[in-house]
Amino acid sequence: KEKTLPDPFVVLGIETSCDDTAVGILRSDGKILGEAIASQIELGEKWGGVHPSEAREAHKRNMMGTLEKALQQAGLREEDVDMIAVTTGPGLQMCLDVGCKAARDLALRLEIPFVGVHHMEAHTLSARLALQRPFWESDCWTTKGATVENVSPSLGEETDPLVPLEFPFLALLVSGGHSQLVLAE
């Protein structure tokens, strides 16, 4: 059955492409409602880098707590979420599987849409999210201490630093082994 989404709708995103377990909750207008990250930096230090099977096990241990922490920060319950998004690649397949399974199970249990997200495409399009006023009105670690004015102080008073980023645009992505120069059209 098809579900009509409210406007704005709430998306819960899960990211497990490598070594950190991350959950973000945002509205479709760009406002970040909650976020949580379970770092694996100690594992990386122990192994001298990412150890795929250890990273997978850490994702399994951290998934539910990270999900609960993000929902708590957002002041929401699972039932308040309208859609689940999850990184489907590129990344370490065994780590991606943990996030995909958690997202699938949650979407099925809540009977809400499930959307797979391309890791590098999301990095590229996040530049557009950062130019939305609700993003800067979010009260999360991503925006703590940052304002439109101190991020773009060289822009004069007559220039709105939140001018939409129009297509096409060029993006330099530096993300592990997937660094690339992208023309987004």
Side-chain angles (χ1 to χ4, degrees), residues 22-107:
V23 175
I25 303 170
L26 67 148
R27 280 194 325 231
S28 58
D29 66 3
K31 182 165 183 161
I32 300 170
L33 303 174
E35 59 191 345
I37 298 174
S39 174
Q40 293 186 22
I41 194 140
E42 290 177 8
L43 275 177
E45 289 171 353
K46 176 182 175 183
W47 293 99
V50 178
H51 187 289
S53 62
E54 293 291 327
R56 176 192 59 213
E57 294 308 311
H59 285 306
K60 288 179 181 179
R61 286 190 305 274
N62 295 329
M63 181 55 65
M64 291 314 297
T66 307
L67 178 65
E68 290 168 5
K69 185 175 179 183
L71 284 165
Q72 182 179 34
Q73 186 183 74
L76 298 175
R77 300 166 302 140
E78 289 179 349
E79 295 77 20
D80 299 321
V81 174
D82 300 305
M83 177 183 292
I84 305 293
V86 63
T87 305
T88 56
L92 296 173
Q93 190 60 50
M94 62 178 56
C95 294
L96 290 164
D97 286 348
V98 176
C100 287
K101 287 175 183 170
R104 178 203 62 202
D105 292 349
L106 187 58

Side-chain angles (χ1 to χ4, degrees), residues 3 14 24 35 38 59-60 62 77 91 96 110 131 136 145 151 160 176 178 184:
K3 178 179 178 179
I14 296 175
E35 59 191 345
H59 285 306
K60 288 179 181 179
N62 295 329
R77 300 166 302 140
L96 290 164
L110 297 174
L131 293 172
W136 292 101
V151 169
D160 183 355
H178 300 95

